Amino acid sequence: MSALSSFPISRRGVLAAASVTLAGSAFPAFGWSASRKQENISVDDPVAKYPKPSFQKQSQPFPGLAGKMNPRPDHGETTYKGSGRLAGMKALITGGDSGMGRAAAIAYAREGADVAINYLPDEEPDAKEVIALIEKEGRKGVALPGDLRDAAFCEKLVEDAANALGGLDILVNNAGRQQQAQSIGDITYEAFDATMKTNIYATFLVTKAALKHLKPGSSIIQTTSEQAYDPSENLVDYAMTKAAVMNFTKSMAKQLAPKGIRVNGVAPGPIWTPLQVSGGATMEKLEKFGGDTPMGRPGQPVELASIYVQLADPQASYATGQIYGAAGGGGQP
Ligand code: NAD
Ligand code: MG
């Protein structure tokens, strides 16, 4: 027996096996993690590990459900492993039912935190799954549905979360509205207003309300976007809000550093989430989604989970006012 054949499987063999699993599975993201476990390999190839375009045509009414996407996004349900980095902490995550917010919620629970999630009432089926996953970790999961465009609700949300959790250490302002429009003439006053209220006003109001509860060692994390730095021609109103949120992160970091509260942001590139299939992208862009990145594929929400953990981890005590990008080799910062 040669030295090579004494290994159970070669690295190339593992990759070939992985791509067969990817192609053949209805839920390719989970297929990969299963094959990885079987072969007991420790390093994932980031290019091969998740689905590439082309994607099937699909659309859902806003806000969309992760549970109805094909392929289903990987939020870390079976793939994220925790190590107690946020033990005993209490987090509120807006848009915690799906996408990056859900990935952060699952990861936070596996890192030992109790988690409250906000979402729109239409998203109850996604939210139920997240609460069940949090509770499966033995953590407290609190469901707080409601519309962040309502200023009074923003304040009530924070109070309800702090009451239910017994305090607040981490705030993730992640909810967002993105509706693509080819021309500025197609963006109605009402649509513009809804995007501003969801993405900017709610971020401002929820942060302001949360400061009553956040103590030294707490942190605030915003989901901004590569759109803050390199806006697309059909995301005019949305990209404005993401630039504003990036800027807010930096001013608030300066204001809150002396109080021991850190403020950071995450700037994702194209990530496979309901936002994109419910009016966020054209069908043409969706079919090729993420194909124009150097990795040639979109990101999955779980691939950003560890970033939300890192920014919340008290061990990252000198990091504030930072924007952490994750865009498959493109995007900024
Ligand atoms: P998503 O659809 O899973 O999450 C967005 C969430 O926003 C929804 O689940 C919904 O609960 C919430 N939301 C929207 N309007 C709301 C309202 N009025 N009241 C309460 N909640 C409301 O999609 P996602 O891509 O995970 O989005 C999360 C964040 O990531 C957003 O801020 C988005 O702008 C940002 N982002 C996404 C991408 C991407 O490619 N998917 C890229 C960059 C940034
Ligand atoms: Mg959702």
Side-chain angles (χ1 to χ4, degrees):
M1 191 185 266
S2 75
L4 190 66
S5 63
S6 67
F7 284 95
I9 188 162
S10 70
R11 176 88 185 130
R12 188 179 296 178
V14 169
L15 290 178
S19 44
V20 168
T21 316
L22 284 173
S25 168
F27 307 113
F30 303 123
W32 167 250
S33 59
S35 83
R36 184 184 152 193
K37 234 180 247 160
Q38 277 162 21
E39 307 305 348
N40 197 27
I41 56 169
S42 57
V43 180
D44 287 339
D45 176 350
V47 177
K49 96 193 250 203
Y50 285 115
K52 290 190 157 112
S54 56
F55 293 103
Q56 189 186 301
K57 280 192 169 76
Q58 57 199 290
S59 83
Q60 297 184 38
F62 175 85
L65 290 174
K68 288 190 174 164
M69 289 177 71
N70 183 14
R72 278 189 72 155
D74 184 355
H75 307 90
E77 288 86 346
T78 63
T79 47
Y80 186 87
K81 289 182 185 62
S83 56
R85 293 180 68 183
L86 307 176
M89 296 182 84
K90 300 160 197 311
L92 167 61
I93 304 174
T94 65
D97 58 300
S98 58
M100 264 73 79
R102 176 179 185 145
I106 294 169
Y108 283 8
R110 292 196 184 152
E111 298 292 353
D114 293 329
V115 186
I117 60 168
N118 162 248
Y119 51 93
L120 287 163
D122 286 350
E123 298 173 300
E124 196 61 45
D126 276 354
K128 275 209 170 89
E129 291 180 6
V130 178
I131 296 294
L133 286 160
I134 295 169
E135 289 175 344
K136 206 172 152 207
E137 299 304 314
R139 307 310 314 179
K140 191 182 265 187
V142 182
L144 298 170
D147 193 329
L148 290 169
R149 291 173 300 174
D150 175 348
F153 174 74
C154 289
E155 287 181 24
K156 183 175 156 18
L157 169 66
V158 173
E159 292 314 306
D160 289 353
N163 283 337
L165 297 171
L168 199 60
D169 307 295
I170 304 165
L171 167 63
V172 182
N173 286 309
N174 166 76
R177 180 183 191 275
Q178 174 186 322
Q179 293 290 303
Q180 74 82 29
Q182 291 305 315
S183 158
I184 189 170
D186 297 335
I187 305 173
T188 62
Y189 177 87
E190 289 72 23
F192 182 81
D193 191 49
T195 303
M196 298 298 137
K197 288 226 166 76
T198 310
N199 300 7
I200 301 183
Y201 282 48
T203 298
F204 172 81
L205 293 167
V206 171
T207 300
K208 198 171 163 185
L211 284 173
K212 277 179 245 150
H213 303 281
L214 299 178
K215 298 193 172 56
S218 301
S219 77
I220 302 172
I221 299 163
Q222 265 77 237
T223 305
T224 168
S225 171
E226 62 178 0
Q227 291 292 324
Y229 304 90
D230 184 16
S232 299
E233 69 284 354
N234 65 332
L235 294 174
V236 169
D237 54 342
Y238 172 82
M240 287 168 74
T241 68
K242 292 293 156 176
V245 167
M246 179 271 288
N247 192 280
F248 175 75
T249 301
K250 291 179 179 286
S251 62
M252 287 306 296
K254 289 176 184 161
Q255 187 179 119
L256 297 180
K259 297 189 160 84
I261 299 168
R262 299 180 300 109
V263 189
N264 292 291
V266 181
I271 313 297
W272 188 245
T273 70
L275 171 135
Q276 298 292 354
V277 303
S278 60
T282 60
M283 197 58 75
E284 191 194 0
K285 179 157 182 210
L286 210 56
E287 286 183 276
K288 296 185 289 197
F289 197 60
D292 57 355
T293 64
M295 279 202 195
R297 66 167 178 86
Q300 294 293 324
V302 67
E303 297 184 275
L304 288 84
S306 66
I307 300 173
Y308 288 86
V309 170
Q310 168 67 11
L311 295 176
D313 186 339
Q315 293 185 96
S317 40
Y318 203 51
T320 191
Q322 306 300 315
I323 308 291
Y324 196 129
Q332 300 168 47

